[in-house]
Amino acid sequence: MRFSQLIVATPLRSDQKIRSIVVFFVLVLVLLLSSQISFAGDFRAAVVKENITPKVSKFLLGYGARQSEGVLDSIYHQILLLDDGQSIFALVSTDICLVSPATYDRVAKLVEQKFGIARTHFWWSVTHTHSAPEVGGPGLPAAFMGERYTHPIDTSYTDLVTSKLLDGIERGIRELSPATLGVGWGHSFANINRRARDIDDIAFLGLNPDGPVDRKIGILKIVHQEDHRLMATVANYAIHGTVLGGQNLLISGDVSGVVSNYVEERSGAPMLFINGAAGNIAPIYSVYPDARSGRLNQFRRLLGDKILKANAEILHYEDQVSFSAAEMEFLTPVKEGLKWPENLNDYLVDATADVKMIKVPARFLNINDKIAIWASPLELFCEISNEVRDRSPFPYTFYYGYTNGWLGYMLTEEEWVYKGYEPTVSPFVPNAGAKFGEAVLSYLQSELKSKYLNQ
């Protein structure tokens, strides 16, 4: 006989009925708590670190074509999984320079097939170190710098990177455990505008202390719920991975790698470095031939200590966490004369017979209605993300750059006037940046807010 039948089998006095009802709901609660069902707000997390350092020489990406001659420091996938009881969100930070959107699409499909994690919930960000091996095909860079890609694609290393990423997600899912989440801001002077100009007002790659910059550090802090130990730190900061220049032939995570390792050593937990809008931002020491002359280790103090300080100042945590992920597609004309790579045709739309439009995907993650993270496959100028943050309705608004591929530099219209390197490797028209920023703001102020409230 079922429990529900026992309740109504014989007439009961009112006090007996009350006791029976109480017993029934207690039993139901026990059954629910002992089951494997997760409910929204039952926040769990896991972090996994996978070494992807090659054992043999590889072509390095970031400057002219060149092959590695050794390893300065190991490079990694840092994988963070968040589970709000309804879905799993995977954030990956990888110590490489760039991946093509086509490479992201292939890996995202594998992630969805293998783990059921939707594309909108799988973000693959790269730190943009210029001293790491190539991964996958060149994608859009081949349209601007084809001379760098005359050698064959290294499929074996791409397969290694992919398999390690999948292994890491699989392990992370097994290791999900109750967690709490904190958020905060830090500040560092480790970066500087790199659009230098002389009296002729023509920009060149250098240092411009008067130029726009973004020195805020956006921090997410994940802590074990049971014993309050730090599980992982996510640090979002805009800086090119170019302390080491083209003369360096040693594999390295560059500034982000050194800082991540240092924060992990001091805090006892892995750190995901997520680059920001670094299209016009360099480290204060840039393009040196080796780590010593580039003062690479000094960034432990310049940036690492600032991340640790910001992390320590986060004292409020939430264990009731829910999130909403979404995607927006921004259409903008292709720059005249650009030969678009065929393997990126999924990112090209025929608006008319004469006009082709680039489809730029922007991803959004809203956490507990006060954190808004947006991401794009762009090398964005900081003025655009700064304005989005300043006008955002969310108190914590972070921009994750170099995420889910690379579709080139997106400048402000004002900077096109000064010419220089970045406009030559941009597929966009001059007013695209302003329109993109407004489209993102519109999404943050309306659709993302309503998606969270209606979920």
mmCIF file of all heavy atoms in Angstrom, residues 311-337:
data_model
loop_
_atom_site.group_PDB
_atom_site.id
_atom_site.type_symbol
_atom_site.label_atom_id
_atom_site.label_comp_id
_atom_site.label_asym_id
_atom_site.label_seq_id
_atom_site.Cartn_x
_atom_site.Cartn_y
_atom_site.Cartn_z
ATOM 1 N N ASN A 311 40.692 40.376 -3.881
ATOM 2 C CA ASN A 311 40.078 39.120 -3.471
ATOM 3 C C ASN A 311 39.849 39.100 -1.960
ATOM 4 O O ASN A 311 38.785 38.705 -1.476
ATOM 5 C CB ASN A 311 40.983 37.958 -3.879
ATOM 6 C CG ASN A 311 40.210 36.709 -4.215
ATOM 7 O OD1 ASN A 311 38.994 36.682 -4.138
ATOM 8 N ND2 ASN A 311 40.910 35.666 -4.591
ATOM 9 N N ALA A 312 40.860 39.540 -1.206
ATOM 10 C CA ALA A 312 40.759 39.534 0.253
ATOM 11 C C ALA A 312 39.680 40.492 0.761
ATOM 12 O O ALA A 312 39.129 40.290 1.848
ATOM 13 C CB ALA A 312 42.113 39.904 0.861
ATOM 14 N N GLU A 313 39.369 41.525 -0.006
ATOM 15 C CA GLU A 313 38.381 42.514 0.426
ATOM 16 C C GLU A 313 36.942 42.058 0.174
ATOM 17 O O GLU A 313 35.999 42.711 0.619
ATOM 18 C CB GLU A 313 38.641 43.846 -0.280
ATOM 19 C CG GLU A 313 39.926 44.525 0.213
ATOM 20 C CD GLU A 313 40.291 45.760 -0.592
ATOM 21 O OE1 GLU A 313 39.662 45.987 -1.659
ATOM 22 O OE2 GLU A 313 41.201 46.490 -0.165
ATOM 23 N N ILE A 314 36.766 40.952 -0.548
ATOM 24 C CA ILE A 314 35.424 40.401 -0.766
ATOM 25 C C ILE A 314 35.054 39.571 0.452
ATOM 26 O O ILE A 314 35.651 38.519 0.712
ATOM 27 C CB ILE A 314 35.370 39.541 -2.048
ATOM 28 C CG1 ILE A 314 35.680 40.400 -3.277
ATOM 29 C CG2 ILE A 314 33.994 38.882 -2.192
ATOM 30 C CD1 ILE A 314 35.821 39.603 -4.560
ATOM 31 N N LEU A 315 34.092 40.027 1.225
ATOM 32 C CA LEU A 315 33.711 39.367 2.475
ATOM 33 C C LEU A 315 32.268 38.862 2.459
ATOM 34 O O LEU A 315 31.851 38.151 3.380
ATOM 35 C CB LEU A 315 33.899 40.334 3.647
ATOM 36 C CG LEU A 315 35.333 40.871 3.841
ATOM 37 C CD1 LEU A 315 35.366 41.907 4.964
ATOM 38 C CD2 LEU A 315 36.298 39.739 4.114
ATOM 39 N N HIS A 316 31.508 39.225 1.437
ATOM 40 C CA HIS A 316 30.109 38.786 1.342
ATOM 41 C C HIS A 316 29.983 37.747 0.235
ATOM 42 O O HIS A 316 30.463 37.955 -0.881
ATOM 43 C CB HIS A 316 29.189 39.978 1.036
ATOM 44 C CG HIS A 316 27.768 39.569 0.793
ATOM 45 N ND1 HIS A 316 26.935 39.144 1.803
ATOM 46 C CD2 HIS A 316 27.039 39.507 -0.362
ATOM 47 C CE1 HIS A 316 25.753 38.844 1.288
ATOM 48 N NE2 HIS A 316 25.794 39.053 -0.019
ATOM 49 N N TYR A 317 29.330 36.622 0.573
ATOM 50 C CA TYR A 317 29.174 35.533 -0.393
ATOM 51 C C TYR A 317 27.715 35.110 -0.466
ATOM 52 O O TYR A 317 26.966 35.225 0.513
ATOM 53 C CB TYR A 317 30.030 34.326 0.009
ATOM 54 C CG TYR A 317 31.473 34.658 0.243
ATOM 55 C CD1 TYR A 317 31.961 34.831 1.533
ATOM 56 C CD2 TYR A 317 32.346 34.826 -0.822
ATOM 57 C CE1 TYR A 317 33.298 35.159 1.760
ATOM 58 C CE2 TYR A 317 33.670 35.147 -0.616
ATOM 59 C CZ TYR A 317 34.136 35.321 0.677
ATOM 60 O OH TYR A 317 35.453 35.651 0.885
ATOM 61 N N GLU A 318 27.337 34.606 -1.623
ATOM 62 C CA GLU A 318 25.969 34.131 -1.819
ATOM 63 C C GLU A 318 25.998 32.662 -2.205
ATOM 64 O O GLU A 318 26.721 32.262 -3.125
ATOM 65 C CB GLU A 318 25.270 34.952 -2.904
ATOM 66 C CG GLU A 318 25.128 36.428 -2.540
ATOM 67 C CD GLU A 318 24.341 37.220 -3.576
ATOM 68 O OE1 GLU A 318 23.662 36.567 -4.407
ATOM 69 O OE2 GLU A 318 24.414 38.458 -3.557
ATOM 70 N N ASP A 319 25.197 31.847 -1.489
ATOM 71 C CA ASP A 319 25.084 30.440 -1.869
ATOM 72 C C ASP A 319 23.815 30.174 -2.671
ATOM 73 O O ASP A 319 23.645 29.100 -3.241
ATOM 74 C CB ASP A 319 25.144 29.524 -0.643
ATOM 75 C CG ASP A 319 24.074 29.840 0.390
ATOM 76 O OD1 ASP A 319 23.244 30.728 0.133
ATOM 77 O OD2 ASP A 319 24.079 29.179 1.443
ATOM 78 N N GLN A 320 22.911 31.162 -2.697
ATOM 79 C CA GLN A 320 21.729 31.071 -3.552
ATOM 80 C C GLN A 320 22.042 31.830 -4.844
ATOM 81 O O GLN A 320 21.951 33.054 -4.894
ATOM 82 C CB GLN A 320 20.516 31.666 -2.841
ATOM 83 C CG GLN A 320 20.148 30.943 -1.557
ATOM 84 C CD GLN A 320 19.812 29.482 -1.799
ATOM 85 O OE1 GLN A 320 18.889 29.171 -2.568
ATOM 86 N NE2 GLN A 320 20.540 28.580 -1.165
ATOM 87 N N VAL A 321 22.435 31.075 -5.850
ATOM 88 C CA VAL A 321 22.919 31.669 -7.099
ATOM 89 C C VAL A 321 22.101 31.135 -8.264
ATOM 90 O O VAL A 321 21.850 29.935 -8.377
ATOM 91 C CB VAL A 321 24.413 31.336 -7.327
ATOM 92 C CG1 VAL A 321 24.869 31.812 -8.700
ATOM 93 C CG2 VAL A 321 25.265 31.956 -6.228
ATOM 94 N N SER A 322 21.671 32.034 -9.116
ATOM 95 C CA SER A 322 21.038 31.632 -10.374
ATOM 96 C C SER A 322 21.584 32.511 -11.484
ATOM 97 O O SER A 322 21.987 33.648 -11.250
ATOM 98 C CB SER A 322 19.514 31.745 -10.301
ATOM 99 O OG SER A 322 19.122 33.072 -10.045
ATOM 100 N N PHE A 323 21.625 31.964 -12.681
ATOM 101 C CA PHE A 323 22.154 32.746 -13.794
ATOM 102 C C PHE A 323 21.338 32.522 -15.050
ATOM 103 O O PHE A 323 20.611 31.535 -15.186
ATOM 104 C CB PHE A 323 23.639 32.446 -14.044
ATOM 105 C CG PHE A 323 24.000 30.990 -14.156
ATOM 106 C CD1 PHE A 323 23.699 30.248 -15.296
ATOM 107 C CD2 PHE A 323 24.678 30.352 -13.123
ATOM 108 C CE1 PHE A 323 24.043 28.926 -15.408
ATOM 109 C CE2 PHE A 323 25.038 29.019 -13.211
ATOM 110 C CZ PHE A 323 24.714 28.293 -14.359
ATOM 111 N N SER A 324 21.465 33.466 -15.950
ATOM 112 C CA SER A 324 20.777 33.423 -17.239
ATOM 113 C C SER A 324 21.789 33.758 -18.326
ATOM 114 O O SER A 324 22.452 34.793 -18.259
ATOM 115 C CB SER A 324 19.624 34.434 -17.261
ATOM 116 O OG SER A 324 19.063 34.536 -18.559
ATOM 117 N N ALA A 325 21.940 32.867 -19.304
ATOM 118 C CA ALA A 325 22.887 33.084 -20.405
ATOM 119 C C ALA A 325 22.123 33.331 -21.698
ATOM 120 O O ALA A 325 21.063 32.742 -21.927
ATOM 121 C CB ALA A 325 23.811 31.877 -20.563
ATOM 122 N N ALA A 326 22.664 34.207 -22.532
ATOM 123 C CA ALA A 326 21.981 34.567 -23.769
ATOM 124 C C ALA A 326 23.003 35.019 -24.807
ATOM 125 O O ALA A 326 24.181 35.220 -24.507
ATOM 126 C CB ALA A 326 20.963 35.676 -23.514
ATOM 127 N N GLU A 327 22.540 35.209 -26.042
ATOM 128 C CA GLU A 327 23.404 35.640 -27.136
ATOM 129 C C GLU A 327 22.682 36.656 -28.002
ATOM 130 O O GLU A 327 21.467 36.554 -28.225
ATOM 131 C CB GLU A 327 23.838 34.447 -27.990
ATOM 132 C CG GLU A 327 24.796 34.812 -29.118
ATOM 133 C CD GLU A 327 25.317 33.587 -29.859
ATOM 134 O OE1 GLU A 327 24.533 32.628 -30.001
ATOM 135 O OE2 GLU A 327 26.484 33.588 -30.277
ATOM 136 N N MET A 328 23.413 37.654 -28.466
ATOM 137 C CA MET A 328 22.911 38.651 -29.396
ATOM 138 C C MET A 328 23.809 38.647 -30.627
ATOM 139 O O MET A 328 25.023 38.477 -30.512
ATOM 140 C CB MET A 328 22.954 40.032 -28.740
ATOM 141 C CG MET A 328 22.596 41.191 -29.657
ATOM 142 S SD MET A 328 23.123 42.801 -28.975
ATOM 143 C CE MET A 328 24.869 42.785 -29.400
ATOM 144 N N GLU A 329 23.234 38.836 -31.801
ATOM 145 C CA GLU A 329 24.023 38.928 -33.031
ATOM 146 C C GLU A 329 23.992 40.360 -33.545
ATOM 147 O O GLU A 329 22.923 40.921 -33.776
ATOM 148 C CB GLU A 329 23.496 37.958 -34.090
ATOM 149 C CG GLU A 329 23.730 36.498 -33.735
ATOM 150 C CD GLU A 329 23.233 35.541 -34.808
ATOM 151 O OE1 GLU A 329 22.502 35.997 -35.721
ATOM 152 O OE2 GLU A 329 23.569 34.341 -34.745
ATOM 153 N N PHE A 330 25.168 40.922 -33.708
ATOM 154 C CA PHE A 330 25.305 42.296 -34.195
ATOM 155 C C PHE A 330 25.789 42.243 -35.640
ATOM 156 O O PHE A 330 26.787 41.588 -35.959
ATOM 157 C CB PHE A 330 26.313 43.049 -33.332
ATOM 158 C CG PHE A 330 26.691 44.405 -33.852
ATOM 159 C CD1 PHE A 330 25.797 45.462 -33.787
ATOM 160 C CD2 PHE A 330 27.958 44.630 -34.399
ATOM 161 C CE1 PHE A 330 26.158 46.724 -34.266
ATOM 162 C CE2 PHE A 330 28.320 45.882 -34.870
ATOM 163 C CZ PHE A 330 27.415 46.930 -34.803
ATOM 164 N N LEU A 331 25.072 42.913 -36.525
ATOM 165 C CA LEU A 331 25.423 42.930 -37.950
ATOM 166 C C LEU A 331 26.025 44.277 -38.318
ATOM 167 O O LEU A 331 25.494 45.330 -37.965
ATOM 168 C CB LEU A 331 24.186 42.658 -38.810
ATOM 169 C CG LEU A 331 23.496 41.309 -38.622
ATOM 170 C CD1 LEU A 331 22.294 41.190 -39.554
ATOM 171 C CD2 LEU A 331 24.466 40.161 -38.880
ATOM 172 N N THR A 332 27.133 44.233 -39.051
ATOM 173 C CA THR A 332 27.807 45.456 -39.472
ATOM 174 C C THR A 332 28.504 45.205 -40.804
ATOM 175 O O THR A 332 28.957 44.085 -41.067
ATOM 176 C CB THR A 332 28.813 45.916 -38.405
ATOM 177 O OG1 THR A 332 29.395 47.163 -38.798
ATOM 178 C CG2 THR A 332 29.907 44.904 -38.192
ATOM 179 N N PRO A 333 28.607 46.207 -41.683
ATOM 180 C CA PRO A 333 29.198 45.988 -43.002
ATOM 181 C C PRO A 333 30.668 45.581 -42.943
ATOM 182 O O PRO A 333 31.419 45.996 -42.060
ATOM 183 C CB PRO A 333 29.054 47.359 -43.685
ATOM 184 C CG PRO A 333 27.969 48.048 -42.946
ATOM 185 C CD PRO A 333 28.066 47.574 -41.537
ATOM 186 N N VAL A 334 31.067 44.768 -43.925
ATOM 187 C CA VAL A 334 32.467 44.396 -44.081
ATOM 188 C C VAL A 334 33.233 45.577 -44.674
ATOM 189 O O VAL A 334 32.735 46.288 -45.552
ATOM 190 C CB VAL A 334 32.603 43.186 -45.019
ATOM 191 C CG1 VAL A 334 34.070 42.787 -45.192
ATOM 192 C CG2 VAL A 334 31.815 42.006 -44.498
ATOM 193 N N LYS A 335 34.456 45.771 -44.182
ATOM 194 C CA LYS A 335 35.305 46.815 -44.733
ATOM 195 C C LYS A 335 35.547 46.559 -46.226
ATOM 196 O O LYS A 335 35.804 45.429 -46.638
ATOM 197 C CB LYS A 335 36.639 46.859 -43.982
ATOM 198 C CG LYS A 335 37.582 47.946 -44.445
ATOM 199 C CD LYS A 335 38.747 48.119 -43.497
ATOM 200 C CE LYS A 335 39.642 46.904 -43.430
ATOM 201 N NZ LYS A 335 40.824 47.125 -42.549
ATOM 202 N N GLU A 336 35.492 47.590 -47.006
ATOM 203 C CA GLU A 336 35.629 47.465 -48.459
ATOM 204 C C GLU A 336 36.989 46.851 -48.831
ATOM 205 O O GLU A 336 38.029 47.216 -48.290
ATOM 206 C CB GLU A 336 35.488 48.840 -49.115
ATOM 207 C CG GLU A 336 35.441 48.804 -50.638
ATOM 208 C CD GLU A 336 35.205 50.175 -51.258
ATOM 209 O OE1 GLU A 336 34.916 51.123 -50.492
ATOM 210 O OE2 GLU A 336 35.308 50.281 -52.497
ATOM 211 N N GLY A 337 36.951 45.893 -49.764
ATOM 212 C CA GLY A 337 38.175 45.294 -50.283
ATOM 213 C C GLY A 337 38.691 44.091 -49.518
ATOM 214 O O GLY A 337 39.680 43.475 -49.915
#
